[in-house]
Amino acid sequence: MEHIYPIFDKMLTRSDKENLLGQHGLMIWFTGLSGSGKSTIAIALERELQKRHLLCRILDGDNIRSGINNNLGFSAEDRTENIRRIAEVGKLFVDTGIITIAAFISPNNDLREMAADIIGKDDFVEIYISTPIEECERRDVKGLYAKARKGEIKNFTGVSAPFEAPLHPALSLDTSKLSIEESVGRLLELILPKVTKI
Ligand SMILES: Nc1ncnc2c1ncn2[C@@H]1O[C@H](COP(=O)(O)OS(=O)(=O)O)[C@@H](OP(=O)(O)O)[C@H]1O
Ligand SMILES: Nc1ncnc2c1ncn2[C@@H]1O[C@H](COP(=O)(O)OP(=O)(O)O)[C@@H](O)[C@H]1O
């Protein structure tokens, strides 16, 4: 496409950036309950990708809800805006050729569909961390399930707010049955062919 300002014709493309990095950009979208293992698996996967000289960026509550989305709570409207912004930011990383892992509850099919539409379906892989709520609650990593059961936290996913399981995830990983290494192994099998440049 010719631009009105010639300088735009000189802009580097995604493909130029992917050639520089020697990889393809991809969004790996984790969905699952609080405590299901999204962050744990994301961190372990990133390490394995790094070992293979593949550049990865994790987006999670620690770097998104504490910063760009620190004005958002857990109403349905705020969750939608949370996921919309994450998808827009994620798209920038993917378009830079970076393997991006988003680790958010993203509790509804329509939210995840919105994310896939923003990022582009070809660049979006949905991974369901399907650990049952009983196990998430037993772990209660942050003590939030106990608080939610006592009514001290409103709209808590799985307790007082809904979670819709994905309809056609590329992969389901139940971390009450799989070790971290097994989950990461399955992910690598799925992802390496998509991100490796030949
Ligand atoms: N009401 C309510 N419901 C669910 N989760 C809550 C809530 N209040 C706080 N938290 C903490 O926020 C984490 C989930 O944030 P997300 O950005 O992933 O949620 S969402 O995708 O917008 O639904 C979630 O945890 P993790 O999934 O462990 O990161 C909780 O630590
Ligand atoms: N097989 C497993 N896979 C992933 N996490 C596990 C596993 N077994 C126990 N855990 C523990 O479960 C917890 C999951 O918490 P976290 O990764 O923060 O979940 P989420 O990001 O989904 O809220 C961690 O404390 C982790 O050590």
Side-chain angles (χ1 to χ4, degrees), residues 33 133 137 144-146 148-150 153 155-162:
L33 293 166
I133 188 160
E137 197 160 353
L144 298 178
Y145 283 94
R149 291 287 175 203
K150 283 192 257 169
I153 302 176
N155 294 327
F156 194 79
T157 309
V159 175
S160 44

Side-chain angles (χ1 to χ4, degrees), residues 34 38 65 74 79 82 104-106 142 144 154-155:
S34 176
K38 301 181 297 297
R65 272 198 175 270
F74 293 88
R79 288 184 204 244
N82 183 40
F104 298 90
I105 296 178
S106 43
K142 302 174 187 165
L144 298 178
K154 303 252 173 302
N155 294 327

